[in-house]
Amino acid sequence: MLKSILKRLGIFILVVVGATALVFFMLHYIPGETADVMARYIFIGNIEIEPSSEDVALISQHYELDKPLIIQYVSWLSRSLQGDLGMSYNTGQPVLDEIVIRLPATIKLAVVSVLISLIIGIPLGIVAAIKQNTIIDYICSTGAVIGVSIPNFWLALILIMVFSLYLDLTPVMGSGGVEHIILPSITLGTGMAAVTARLTRSSMLEVIRQDYVRTARGKGLAEKTIVVRHAMKNALIPVITIIGLEMGHLLGGTVIVETIFAWPGIGKLLIDAISQRDLPIIQGCVIFITVMYVFVNLIVDISYSIFDPRIRYER
Amino acid sequence: MKKIKMNINSIGMWIVLVTIVGLVAFSGCTDQEEIDTEKTDTEKIEIEQKLVIAEPWGISGVDPAKEGGTLNNFLVLDTLTVMEPDFSLVPGLAKSWELIDNTTWRIYLKDNIKFHDNTGLTADDVTYSFERNMEINPTIRRDLGIKSIEKIDDYTIDITTEKPDAAIPAALSYAKAVIYSKNSVESNGIIIKPIGTGPFKFEKYNKATDILELSKYEDHWNGAPKLDTVLIQGGVGEASTRELAIEKGEVDFTTEPPLGSTEILKGNPEFNVMIHPLCQGYKLNFGNLSKAPYDDIKVRKAIAYAVDKESIVEHILYERGEISNGMGFVPGIEWRNNDLTGYPYDPQKSKQLLKEAGWEDTDNDGILDKDGKAFKMTLYTWPQRPALPPLAETVQSQFKEIGIDAEVRIMDWSAIKEHLNEWGAIRVSGGSTCMRIPDPSYYLERHFYSEGTSNSYGYKNEEVDLLLDEGRSTFDKEKRYDIYREVQEIVVADVADVYIAYHNLAVVTKSSVKGYVPNPSAHDYRINPDIYIEK
């Protein structure tokens, strides 16, 4: 177990270096000169006004953008390996502070959204599998297709109209209180629930046909016991994998939902930073997202062994 | 039957389980602060004098040297001079100013101004603020045209300039030339709690929720404002969210709801919709004026006549705009040349001009050509300003009528620059504030001086350069009027760009919000001390 964690840590460092290097170099090849963009934000405060060439030169010099890319990257890497992620170009605040302050909101939204997707998705998937090729199955499957197909921004606005405007149950936007999380998490959760339901159904169908399930039936076990204790436990392994991926994805931020609900998460921080070419923030976010992915995947792997004792991490 | 029941049981189990987990997850959350909904307001007998604003842009920081004027717009920090809603210049923290020699302006400060921490404002604070701002953001020095700033006595300062500069008093109203107390600065040199002199005090800024909280400053020299608190929720970037938030009553004041919603909101007695001009607009910028085809003024004129401005204002801007006279200054600005008429829509004239320039459809494919080259070009625009993409598409179809085959490409504004040297490229742009200070030099020099910072299209007219230099160094206002009116006339005659329409800002408030005075000089809006809440 320890060995596998150490191995993961090694891979993790490689992944972080690789991801940040990739992002760093890619940023310099997307259209728009970095210093030009930064001058608009930092000096002028209005993206639609063009900076003069003096401004651009000044910015280049001040933020050492005139040095070769590889030197810029190495100096950033050596500083961050010493724990100094630098300051945001735009706000002048430490990168770590900027990320940490958005952490609670991001994690809350991700956790609640995944929970919602499980509450809806797993029971639906199981029912659809047990009632395969009945009207219930068709309703569940059609519902799932619709759920996947509905765009987030549309669902978000419809939810606001129904629950905030007509029923007056939830606030339209903002963050901080428990009531603020309801609509954003439903928006994200329902789309994922559809995926979860489809996956649960197909994996459940596969499991029910296995010999041991037939054996269990032959032993005269109650259908409930068969479904919950024998079939479901095995059927959930692929579902856990997808939950892990979704969780990692959500922790990386959800720009559209964050924008509509004015939810101050990592996604908006990252997207704003990219459009402002706020390199330290971009790199900080990339590290954060990588850490989250690796961490979630570790948990997923560990949980496999709980659901399927055949999977062990001893070697 | 039995099976169904069991499944329902297991579903129930799931729900219970997940609810418990959910509750555990939630128990960690504490309410930090939240925007109160109307319920709490109506429960009170006395009406709470609190204004909640949904602001499209993120607030992101409160250091006056770095932020883009938010604290000035929300009346926390003042400037030495002030631009009034009619674009005129009036005293702010300064009571008067005079020119003592060609390159020195003497500024006399009011002696009864107190900062929010009850210390008095003196010349030291003014020089400190200017020097700090100019050091952190060097462009402020250039934009203001200031060489040095010096304290003469506690209430007098001298500002020296490189060249004679008539725009200095106006430049002092620039939102980035705000004055704050030295005590605002923390030991590490940053500002997290700005101390200003305005009608509202900075209470706190919560970065996690992007909410800025201000409170009434009782001892303001000009009397306390009527509101007790102002809450600004930053980062409400989605126009539909802003509309829904005000419809729900969650906020009292917001700007720029979706373009198509103007009429619906106007028809609802619960809201006040104010549409007022901003000094901003929509225009076509030629990619390169020194290259074919736009080096030919006839082609530029033809383009100007080909755009149906009226239909754009009506169908694209939904009346949230006004036809321009060819120049960026909106009506009401004293420096505006009101004699200009611009280029009214006239496709016949346009075709005629193109023909004179040698552009004819010789192969009958509906596209003009000259020396074997077809008039095929690209209109570049960006998506952040919602009216721009449909506006570009409208221009595309209007170009088609005169035989120009245009393609519309929508991309990030920062990426467009690289494409402007392509043959025939035109940028369809918006924004571009014309009066950040109440002096015509700001807009005209940036856009039409041969070395102007926004003159990327390469407009060069020596007469205009000379006039702009002369205007900046002439102190007689009447003479300046003449100079700048002439500049506008030449620039429009040269068709340096094609100004289509001014952008009007839509401000939506609850009808209980009274006393808001639209301020077209603001960027994009500014609250005023007279706003109050009435039942």
Side-chain angles (χ1 to χ4, degrees), chain B residues 28 70 84 100 127 133 171 181 231 242 284 306 315 321 368 392 423 435 485 533:
Chain B
T70 309
E84 285 282 275
I100 51 173
T127 52
N133 291 350
S181 162
L231 278 187
R242 294 196 294 276
L284 305 184
H315 301 296
L368 299 175
W423 192 92
M435 279 257 148
R485 277 182 196 143
I533 313 289

Side-chain angles (χ1 to χ4, degrees), chain B residues 354-500:
Chain B
L354 284 166
K355 201 172 174 183
E356 284 169 29
W359 288 97
E360 273 179 288
D361 186 11
T362 52
D363 50 5
N364 277 323
D365 62 349
I367 302 165
L368 299 175
D369 50 83
K370 180 182 176 181
D371 308 331
K373 167 105 186 130
F375 208 134
K376 284 188 177 175
M377 47 78 72
T378 311
L379 293 160
Y380 289 97
T381 196
W382 56 88
Q384 284 92 340
R385 199 169 273 274
L388 283 178
L391 200 151
E393 281 154 20
T394 311
V395 171
Q396 177 188 33
S397 70
Q398 288 165 0
F399 276 9
K400 201 171 179 188
E401 278 171 46
I402 57 162
I404 295 177
D405 182 19
E407 186 197 345
V408 173
R409 288 188 69 188
I410 296 161
M411 50 172 73
D412 203 61
W413 40 265
S414 55
I416 294 175
K417 202 174 178 181
E418 294 155 21
H419 293 277
L420 291 177
N421 260 325
E422 290 166 10
W423 192 92
I426 282 182
R427 184 175 57 181
V428 184
S429 54
S432 191
T433 319
C434 78
M435 279 257 148
R436 292 192 106 181
I437 61 170
D439 194 89
S441 60
Y442 180 86
Y443 177 75
L444 295 175
E445 283 179 20
R446 267 177 184 266
H447 289 85
F448 308 115
Y449 197 79
S450 55
E451 318 248 299
T453 52
S454 296
N455 182 3
S456 56
Y457 31 90
Y459 176 70
K460 190 174 168 65
N461 183 328
E462 273 161 26
E463 201 186 344
V464 169
D465 281 2
L466 283 175
L467 283 167
L468 286 172
D469 280 336
E470 194 189 337
R472 191 79 184 259
S473 53
T474 301
F475 294 101
D476 183 293
K477 204 169 177 184
E478 289 304 318
K479 274 190 198 150
R480 294 191 82 208
Y481 280 140
D482 293 340
I483 292 166
Y484 286 118
R485 277 182 196 143
E486 199 183 337
V487 170
Q488 295 172 52
E489 200 183 316
I490 299 172
V491 165
V492 172
D494 278 349
V495 207
D497 55 21
V498 179
Y499 214 104
I500 299 170

